[in-house]
Amino acid sequence: MDKAIIAIDGFAATGKSTLAKRLSKHLGLPYVDSGALFRGITFLALEKGWITDNNIYEKSIEEGINELKINFDSLSNSLTLNKRDITNQIRSKLVSSYVSQIAKLPFVRYYLVKQQRQMGSSNGLVMDGRDIGTAVFPEADFKFFFTAKPEVRAQRRWEEMEANGYSLNYNEVLKNILDRDKIDTERKVSPLIKADDAIEIDSTYLSLQQVFEICIARINDK
């Protein structure tokens, strides 16, 4: 499938990234994790001291990203920041606790929308995020919107982080999920909403294989 753009939006821990990677491989399209890009900027802000004790210095971040070189490698699923691999660092608890606050900053979203569109301008792609089908690629060939019960999403995220060596309390993960939902859906710029022409999939009781088959069937039907 040459140059098709597939947009996958939805809430945190609904299986977007896992499904997007599988679709990418199956269809022979590059994969881009847009959430990793926002996490990269959040990591940089923390490292540079632009976030301290719940204070976010927006002016410093805005000036800093103008000199930023951020790249997501679709082959290795790795993120580099100024040529430094930060793939593992962006998944930390600290980055997770601030990423939605950074993602709601208008200048951050405008900066990354431009980057994301450039990524899909030549060969098409599969991209997952919060506003891919509404703001980044409103004319995407295929759009999917993922949802699931918060408790199930928190359990998935907790298991994922435990497997990666992070020791967290389930209730803490659930609170983070709910907080992110609130920030994502209520932000003024590009809030998390379902595009009118997106196919909604509730993954609460579905396996990855079932979700994959639903998406492929929809793509093949078009």
Side-chain angles (χ1 to χ4, degrees):
M1 180 175 290
D2 295 335
K3 298 186 178 181
I5 292 179
I6 300 177
I8 302 176
D9 291 308
F11 294 91
T14 51
K16 300 187 305 296
S17 295
T18 304
L19 186 279
K21 292 174 187 175
R22 187 164 177 183
L23 284 178
S24 166
K25 183 176 181 180
H26 181 81
L27 299 171
L29 292 170
Y31 162 68
V32 176
D33 176 1
S34 72
L37 303 176
F38 286 101
R39 284 176 173 271
I41 292 178
T42 305
F43 171 81
L44 178 68
L46 286 163
E47 186 177 59
K48 293 290 188 180
W50 301 335
I51 301 175
T52 58
D53 298 326
N54 292 318
N55 293 313
I56 297 176
Y57 300 98
E58 297 183 17
K59 185 65 175 178
S60 296
I61 298 173
E62 186 172 12
E63 292 174 351
I65 63 175
N66 290 327
E67 300 178 2
L68 178 67
K69 291 184 179 180
I70 190 167
N71 181 65
F72 185 85
D73 189 307
S74 62
L75 295 177
S76 61
N77 292 327
S78 61
L79 184 75
T80 57
L81 189 69
N82 297 330
K83 298 184 179 181
R84 177 166 58 119
D85 190 328
I86 58 169
T87 306
N88 294 327
Q89 293 94 316
I90 64 172
R91 301 298 172 183
S92 72
K93 175 184 173 183
L94 187 59
V95 170
S96 295
S97 66
Y98 281 107
V99 64
S100 285
Q101 296 179 62
I102 297 301
K104 73 177 183 179
L105 298 176
F107 59 84
V108 171
R109 302 205 73 83
Y110 295 146
Y111 170 81
L112 285 181
V113 163
K114 182 179 179 180
Q115 301 293 318
Q116 291 163 339
R117 286 176 177 167
Q118 289 177 346
M119 293 175 183
S121 62
S122 56
N123 298 316
L125 50 69
V126 180
M127 182 179 287
D128 67 298
R130 302 291 195 279
D131 62 350
I132 310 305
T134 54
V136 183
F137 294 112
E139 303 301 324
D141 298 282
F142 304 96
K143 299 179 185 179
F144 298 97
F145 187 87
F146 281 40
T147 185
K149 291 183 177 180
E151 295 79 10
V152 173
R153 293 189 283 130
Q155 181 67 27
R156 291 172 180 169
R157 181 55 51 83
W158 178 79
E159 291 175 354
E160 176 187 10
M161 298 192 77
E162 284 282 316
N164 289 325
Y166 296 103
S167 180
L168 294 174
N169 179 278
Y170 166 81
N171 290 328
E172 186 178 4
V173 177
L174 176 59
K175 181 181 183 303
N176 179 262
I177 289 283
L178 294 174
D179 288 345
R180 288 191 65 183
D181 288 353
K182 180 177 176 60
I183 293 173
D184 289 341
T185 56
E186 295 181 0
R187 64 173 175 251
K188 294 181 179 180
V189 179
S190 301
L192 171 61
I193 57 174
K194 174 182 172 293
D196 292 338
D197 54 346
I199 299 165
E200 183 169 346
I201 298 175
D202 186 337
S203 67
T204 301
Y205 302 112
L206 298 177
S207 67
L208 171 61
Q209 180 62 28
Q210 289 173 316
V211 173
F212 174 75
E213 290 174 357
I214 291 171
C215 292
I216 287 297
R218 292 287 188 152
I219 291 171
N220 289 338
D221 283 345
K222 189 169 181 178

